[in-house]
Amino acid sequence: MNFYGVTDLWTYVLGALGIILLPGPNSLYVLAVATARGVREGYKGALGIFVGDSILLMLTALGAAGILRTYPALFMVVKYAGAAYLAWVGVNLIWAAIQKWRNKTATMAETQATAVNMQNPFKRALVISLLNPKAILFLLSFFVQFIDPTYPTPAIPFLILSAVVMVFSSIYLSVLIFLGARLARNFSQRRRLSASLSSGVGSLFLWFGVKLANASLH
């Protein structure tokens, strides 16, 4: 079945849904922001993710992955910059957990907002989304499987595939934002539990950084 240049729409929909549901630095950061600063700030972080994803999708359409393959040194610079940034966010979250354990009067929101500099979640989420060259390569390899190369207007199937991903992402991040706000209320009087959550998310960010540092073009 060919739907405006998309060769197998429902297979793509199922695959995109699975990809969105996989935990990653984008979703975890939005969850952390919502937990620390509430629904409004969580949506600011989500907007940063949307803008970053849109840029990556556009770069994918323009052949950014091919440029990274042509210039491996550029890929290495972006890769290690992204890995360092993710690791830095992780270290700050873990440090927030330590401070939470030490300071009995500090709230989870105070320690997390200070440690991760959540005063501007849009910019930080945008950087987290963009500093992942592996995402460009993944998007390219995933998208091209569902685009009919003979379709006269290739921009149409690309926009359809992009819209599916963005709709799933918006719904998923909205769920995480309201979940984070609920967690904030439940954890406000549970210092050890909130510190454990912060350290757990921080450890995942460190793992994402290590994983990105070991990523390759192949």
Side-chain angles (χ1 to χ4, degrees):
M1 177 181 177
N2 192 306
F3 180 78
Y4 293 100
V6 179
T7 57
D8 195 342
L9 179 61
W10 291 112
T11 299
Y12 171 79
V13 167
L14 292 175
L17 179 60
I19 292 166
I20 293 298
L21 292 177
L22 288 175
N26 291 354
S27 56
L28 284 176
Y29 181 74
V30 170
L31 176 62
V33 171
T35 304
R37 305 196 65 193
V39 171
R40 183 177 179 179
E41 296 302 303
Y43 271 109
K44 288 182 181 180
L47 180 60
I49 299 299
F50 294 148
V51 173
D53 286 349
S54 298
I55 293 174
L56 289 179
L57 289 167
M58 182 179 64
L59 291 175
T60 301
L62 296 174
I67 295 175
L68 292 177
R69 289 192 182 99
T70 304
Y71 301 98
L74 176 62
F75 174 79
M76 296 295 288
V77 170
V78 178
K79 179 180 77 167
Y80 287 121
Y85 189 80
L86 292 177
W88 181 78
V89 172
V91 169
N92 274 270
L93 279 168
I94 294 174
W95 178 248
I98 295 174
Q99 294 296 102
K100 182 71 175 180
W101 277 84
R102 289 179 176 177
N103 188 354
K104 296 182 178 181
T105 62
T107 65
M108 183 181 182
E110 290 170 346
T111 54
Q112 281 196 333
T114 300
V116 194
N117 297 321
M118 291 184 179
Q119 289 77 7
N120 199 329
F122 171 82
K123 288 184 178 179
R124 192 163 299 277
L126 177 62
V127 174
I128 289 175
S129 177
L130 289 176
L131 286 179
N132 192 349
K134 192 70 172 180
I136 299 176
L137 301 178
F138 174 78
L139 285 170
L140 180 63
S141 63
F142 185 69
F143 271 47
V144 295
Q145 298 179 47
F146 301 93
I147 295 178
D148 182 0
T150 64
Y151 194 73
T153 311
I156 293 178
F158 184 86
L159 288 174
I160 293 173
L161 298 181
S162 299
V164 170
V165 169
M166 298 304 281
V167 168
F168 283 159
S169 180
S170 63
I171 295 173
Y172 181 50
L173 291 180
S174 293
V175 171
L176 291 180
I177 287 169
F178 286 99
L179 175 62
R182 184 180 182 87
L183 288 174
R185 291 192 295 269
N186 292 336
F187 290 162
S188 59
Q189 303 300 323
R190 302 179 183 181
R191 183 168 56 90
R192 292 184 177 182
L193 190 58
S194 63
S196 299
L197 174 65
S198 180
S199 61
V201 174
S203 298
L204 284 174
F205 266 88
L206 284 174
W207 180 75
F208 290 135
V210 172
K211 186 177 181 181
L212 178 55
N214 293 323
S216 68
L217 288 165
H218 304 291

